[in-house]
Amino acid sequence: MRHNLTRDEEAVSAAVATVLLFGGVLSIIGLMMVSMMPVIEEMEGAVERHDMSAQMTLLAQQTSSLSERGMPGDSTHATLIPVDGNLVWDSLRGGMWYSATWQEDMTLRARGALDFDDTVEIRHPESRVEAVCITDLRQGPDRPYYYTVEAVLDRVAFTVTPGLAMPLGPIDVSLTVNGEEVQTRALRVDDIGSFDVTSIGTAVITSSHALTVMGETGANGATYVLPNAPEPSDKRGHAWSFPVSTGTSAIHVLSDTANQIHLTVDDETVIHYALPSGYARTAVSFTHEVSVTQPTIVHVSTSSPSRLLLKTDTSSDDGLTAWPSDTGMYLGHAFTPPNMAGTLRLANPGEGIVTVTWRGGGISVASGEVEHVTWPPAVDEGAATLDADGDLFVTWAADNTLSTTDEQPGLTLIPADDTGGLSGGLFTYMNEDNTTAEEFHLRLAGYTSSWNVTGATNATGTFLAQNDATSMAASLGTTSLRVESGHPLRLLRSGGNHGLYQILHDGAERCTSVGTQASGWVTTDLPWERMGGRGEVDIQNAWIEGRHPSSVSLDVIGGDGVATHASIGTVWAFHLSRLAYQFQSSINGMEVAFSGGAVVTNHPEFKPYVVVPPSDRGGPGPRFAATVPSLHPTADSSSGAGELELDIELVHRMSLASAPAYEVRRGWSEPYGTAIADNAGIGLESSEDWTVYPGRLDLLTDYVGWVPDPSYGTAEAVWHTNGQAIEFTLQLASLDVTTREVML
């Protein structure tokens, strides 16, 4: 049998070949699977991207409609169903901005307003930039307004500042002393509230909505009242809502043209008309007395852009107020002071003599000196306009018998010499009063500041967030207050036993001096705490407490060819929460995001793509209007991979601008800024001028619309109208979003 054993070589070879063939097939299949997985994953990613893009497109349409046409309390509902990714809210990486210029042949650009540091860059090469005034817009849920009440006040009266659309529910208002809440109010629109603050020291009013707050000492006074929605170009307006005390108060309205005035008191509206006098260099004035038996709210609306003075207790001569120039800044060449019996205090902070003229009169004011003029002129020919050949400050006092050694009892904020606004780094005040005890109240308008006072009073100090105010006597003579380093200050002057002034919220009009002209970028302070590198919780807390702005309006002050301090342009920068659907395809980090009304994605391969551009309205002609939907999740909102329901409610809508502009720009945070700018200018493909002369806006005559800024690597677009003035309207809609997971 041993000799019968044989080896079949062919069978062995066949078996080995079969095994090798099977292994080879498996290897080929494995290689095919490896090479096919990215394709499969990419196809899955494409499905997720297109599915969520469609859902967010519907969300964008609903949000845009609610933002533009909704009323407070109106809401919309949306459901988002993820495929395999996660839905998350991101409050730190979403942002966009608009800018507009108010002077012809001038440009304005800004950058760095949303990067959480303490500086911002501006670019305006056409004229000298004197100052930058920045206001915190306080946008987002749980970001209240704070109003600091000085210890010199006896009481404060306040009402809700109306907007385009107001909240239906009550406004929560509280008074805090030394960090302890001592009084609260639930305030509705057209309600009046007040706090007695006698002998309690410095206090803070906290409100869930913007207020018009009047600080009072004694029984009467006078103050310039800001409109509910001041135009950024000159700070005039068409509507006012403010509280008045018991007794008789005078309301004085000034405009350049004929005016129709609607006056509403205790739900009764009376219409008045103010007509021009026909004389040159005169304005239109209107005065009306209101008598009430209890504190109430007065609503005033006008057909022409106007300014308003409030004088309480008309039987008294107490009260004074700083009066703005025709540019809206307090330092200027042309003024239209109240056409009411009183005295004008003309202060010259410059180094040369300034000559002031008006119809039928004039006077010269020496450098660093003050002159008093009985006002109005003896001949009543309308509201006379002051014209000066240099920079001046004007203060109106109710007493028309003041001499050069008398000062009017009252309260008023002292404008800054360097910025022309109600805060700054240099203040000069001459006290000529030998009878009235006057005081200065210094307060920090920022995060830190080192200062010194020289002249009639000498002092030095350093303000920090925890120690941000002091008071001192205003001695006879000239007193100069200068910030040596750090952020601007506010200076309140008090004298006598009576006075009245409007209190701005703590984040309003923080003005920093620039004083330079440059063709490139100029860096200026953002007078808030630096938050770069902090976590989201810290930043959210800083937004709530006002230590860092949640969104800002930035007003650039410079020369307009006549005045040295005029508003050149304004930038509005918004931190907007992003709702992002995060998924992975062949690579990680893919998303479809919704922010500011736009739907964007970086799929595939991190290439920015615009699914839905931000909504705006252009034309016919040189017109542009936009409403920015500011969505913010509530504290109890959910996120994750499950099916989510979104309840979106319009809280309020506010007007930011409605005025002729000469250049309008829009920018967006990267990585989608450049893609949005390019997408907005897609109509340029049909322009022959742009084809022949790419990048030449001055030669583009056959196209109206968005044009990507010709600069290299910019994320901005310019609204091009062939050099015509743009009827520009910008609104901001505040939307609260509650997201909750659907329980199956």
Side-chain angles (χ1 to χ4, degrees):
M1 291 181 64
R2 186 183 305 118
H3 295 288
N4 291 332
L5 292 176
T6 60
R7 179 183 179 87
D8 192 339
E9 298 294 340
E10 293 182 358
V12 172
S13 299
V16 172
T18 301
V19 173
L20 293 176
L21 178 61
F22 183 70
V25 170
L26 291 179
S27 299
I28 293 173
I29 294 174
L31 291 173
M32 291 177 63
M33 291 297 295
V34 170
S35 61
M36 287 294 292
M37 281 304 298
V39 178
I40 296 172
E41 291 175 343
E42 188 60 37
M43 292 178 65
E44 180 185 357
V47 170
E48 294 197 59
R49 175 254 175 107
H50 287 288
D51 180 80
M52 190 52 63
S53 294
Q55 295 185 59
M56 286 195 174
T57 297
L58 294 176
L59 176 63
Q61 294 173 353
Q62 292 174 273
T63 302
S64 177
S65 177
L66 179 63
S67 300
E68 295 176 356
R69 293 182 289 274
M71 295 298 292
D74 289 353
S75 62
T76 187
H77 178 82
T79 302
L80 298 180
I81 306 174
V83 178
D84 194 32
N86 293 314
L87 283 162
V88 297
W89 284 100
D90 185 349
S91 300
L92 306 184
R93 292 193 300 147
M96 57 90 64
W97 62 94
Y98 278 94
S99 69
T101 58
W102 316 118
Q103 311 296 332
E104 193 170 2
D105 297 326
M106 291 190 177
T107 62
L108 174 62
R109 297 177 63 189
R111 67 183 183 189
L114 300 174
D115 57 8
F116 302 106
D117 63 9
D118 56 358
T119 61
V120 63
E121 294 180 285
I122 59 172
R123 188 170 185 175
H124 168 64
E126 289 82 10
S127 68
R128 178 182 172 91
V129 177
E130 296 291 348
V132 173
C133 294
I134 307 173
T135 296
D136 186 353
L137 296 177
R138 307 302 294 151
Q139 286 305 300
D142 303 322
R143 296 173 194 172
Y145 290 80
Y146 299 101
Y147 300 83
T148 297
V149 180
E150 299 292 349
V152 70
L153 297 176
D154 293 334
R155 62 190 169 277
V156 288
F158 48 85
T159 185
V160 179
T161 303
L164 295 175
M166 295 299 299
L168 297 177
I171 305 300
D172 296 325
V173 183
S174 64
L175 182 70
T176 303
V177 180
N178 297 324
E180 181 180 350
E181 188 177 280
V182 295
Q183 297 184 59
T184 61
R185 294 285 188 277
L187 202 66
R188 292 186 179 273
V189 177
D190 291 342
D191 283 353
I192 184 173
S194 64
F195 291 131
D196 186 349
V197 294
T198 305
S199 303
I200 67 172
T202 302
V204 176
I205 295 176
T206 303
S207 171
S208 58
H209 191 82
L211 303 175
T212 299
V213 183
M214 296 295 178
E216 301 175 273
T217 296
N220 51 73
T223 185
Y224 169 68
V225 183
L226 281 170
N228 297 336
E231 292 299 339
S233 54
D234 58 10
K235 308 304 182 290
R236 302 188 191 195
H238 291 270
W240 294 257
S241 299
F242 50 87
V244 294
S245 304
T246 302
T248 302
S249 300
I251 297 169
H252 186 69
V253 179
L254 289 161
S255 62
D256 290 339
T257 58
N259 215 351
Q260 183 186 69
I261 300 103
H262 291 245
L263 191 66
T264 303
V265 182
D266 294 331
D267 297 327
E268 294 185 3
T269 301
V270 181
I271 301 177
H272 302 272
Y273 297 91
L275 301 176
S277 64
Y279 293 99
R281 301 303 295 158
T282 59
V284 180
S285 64
F286 166 79
T287 304
H288 183 80
E289 292 187 353
V290 175
S291 297
V292 294
T293 57
Q294 59 183 1
T296 189
I297 302 301
V298 174
H299 299 280
V300 180
S301 63
T302 63
S303 60
S304 298
S306 307
R307 303 192 193 279
L308 188 146
L309 172 77
L310 173 64
K311 172 69 177 76
T312 58
D313 189 1
T314 55
S315 62
S316 168
D317 289 336
D318 292 333
L320 80 166
T321 183
W323 193 259
S325 70
D326 289 352
T327 67
M329 304 305 294
Y330 289 85
L331 186 64
H333 285 63
F335 296 81
T336 306
N339 193 32
M340 292 179 65
T343 301
L344 297 185
R345 183 182 193 272
L346 310 178
N348 176 13
E351 298 179 354
I353 297 176
V354 175
T355 300
V356 189
T357 60
W358 57 89
R359 185 176 179 84
I363 195 172
S364 293
V365 186
S367 173
E369 297 295 327
V370 173
E371 296 289 345
H372 292 82
V373 177
T374 301
W375 200 257
V379 179
D380 187 6
E381 300 175 343
T385 298
L386 300 180
D387 293 295
D389 59 2
D391 286 330
L392 280 177
F393 288 117
V394 173
T395 301
W396 180 86
D399 191 346
N400 62 356
T401 63
L402 294 181
S403 68
T404 57
T405 58
D406 290 332
E407 289 292 342
Q408 179 74 10
L411 297 167
T412 185
L413 288 167
I414 303 299
D417 296 2
D418 55 345
T419 66
L422 294 179
S423 62
L426 177 62
F427 301 83
T428 303
Y429 187 81
M430 176 172 287
N431 180 15
E432 300 175 302
D433 192 355
N434 55 9
T435 59
T436 302
E438 298 185 48
E439 282 189 317
F440 292 142
H441 308 274
L442 287 63
R443 182 162 296 278
L444 176 63
Y447 186 67
T448 179
S449 184
S450 296
W451 50 270
N452 68 72
V453 177
T454 58
T457 301
N458 294 299
T460 60
T462 298
F463 284 158
L464 300 174
Q466 297 79 18
N467 178 27
D468 60 355
T470 190
S471 298
M472 63 185 66
S475 304
L476 287 174
T478 300
T479 300
S480 178
L481 167 64
R482 182 184 300 273
V483 173
E484 297 296 337
S485 63
H487 298 151
L489 302 177
R490 302 189 199 275
L491 180 61
L492 175 67
R493 176 264 188 200
S494 66
N497 299 319
H498 304 280
L500 172 74
Y501 81 105
Q502 184 175 0
I503 303 175
L504 304 178
H505 75 85
D506 292 353
E509 294 188 26
R510 297 186 177 185
C511 300
T512 301
S513 176
V514 177
T516 188
Q517 181 173 359
S519 59
W521 292 96
V522 176
T523 301
T524 185
D525 287 341
L526 186 68
W528 279 271
E529 182 180 351
R530 180 187 183 95
M531 297 302 296
R534 303 285 188 90
E536 182 172 351
V537 174
D538 289 342
I539 293 176
Q540 292 280 5
N541 289 334
W543 282 342
I544 293 171
E545 298 166 7
R547 292 183 288 113
H548 194 84
S550 56
S551 296
V552 298
S553 67
L554 187 151
D555 196 12
V556 177
I557 309 302
D560 63 356
V562 179
T564 59
H565 289 69
S567 180
I568 299 301
T570 306
V571 179
W572 298 269
F574 312 101
H575 284 287
L576 303 176
S577 297
R578 298 184 341 140
L579 178 60
Y581 174 68
Q582 300 175 345
F583 63 97
Q584 70 177 44
S585 59
S586 56
I587 53 178
N588 295 327
M590 298 292 97
E591 69 172 9
V592 178
F594 173 73
S595 177
V599 179
V600 292
T601 182
N602 61 354
H603 179 271
E605 298 179 353
F606 298 103
K607 182 179 180 180
Y609 179 79
V610 180
V611 180
V612 176
S615 62
D616 53 51
R617 302 288 183 268
R623 299 174 181 270
F624 178 82
T627 299
V628 179
S630 178
L631 274 76
H632 297 280
T634 56
D636 56 349
S637 290
S638 303
S639 61
E643 179 179 337
L644 293 182
E645 290 186 351
L646 281 71
D647 292 322
I648 307 171
E649 180 182 357
L650 176 64
V651 179
H652 70 270
R653 187 170 65 247
M654 62 186 297
S655 173
L656 299 177
S658 181
Y662 292 91
E663 181 192 70
V664 173
R665 290 175 176 263
R666 182 181 69 190
W668 212 273
S669 297
E670 293 290 9
Y672 301 107
T674 303
I676 290 177
D678 292 339
N679 178 271
I682 193 170
L684 283 170
E685 297 174 354
S686 60
S687 169
E688 295 181 2
D689 291 340
W690 193 259
T691 302
V692 177
Y693 305 106
R696 292 293 302 273
L697 290 177
D698 56 328
L699 299 178
L700 181 59
T701 61
D702 59 352
Y703 172 81
V704 173
W706 286 115
V707 179
D709 189 279
S711 303
Y712 176 76
T714 181
E716 299 176 17
V718 182
W719 185 258
H720 177 72
T721 59
N722 302 324
Q724 300 182 64
I726 304 167
E727 293 297 327
F728 176 62
T729 300
L730 182 64
Q731 300 178 8
L732 180 66
S734 181
L735 303 168
D736 284 356
V737 186
T738 300
T739 58
R740 60 181 183 274
E741 188 172 359
V742 177
M743 304 303 294
L744 300 177

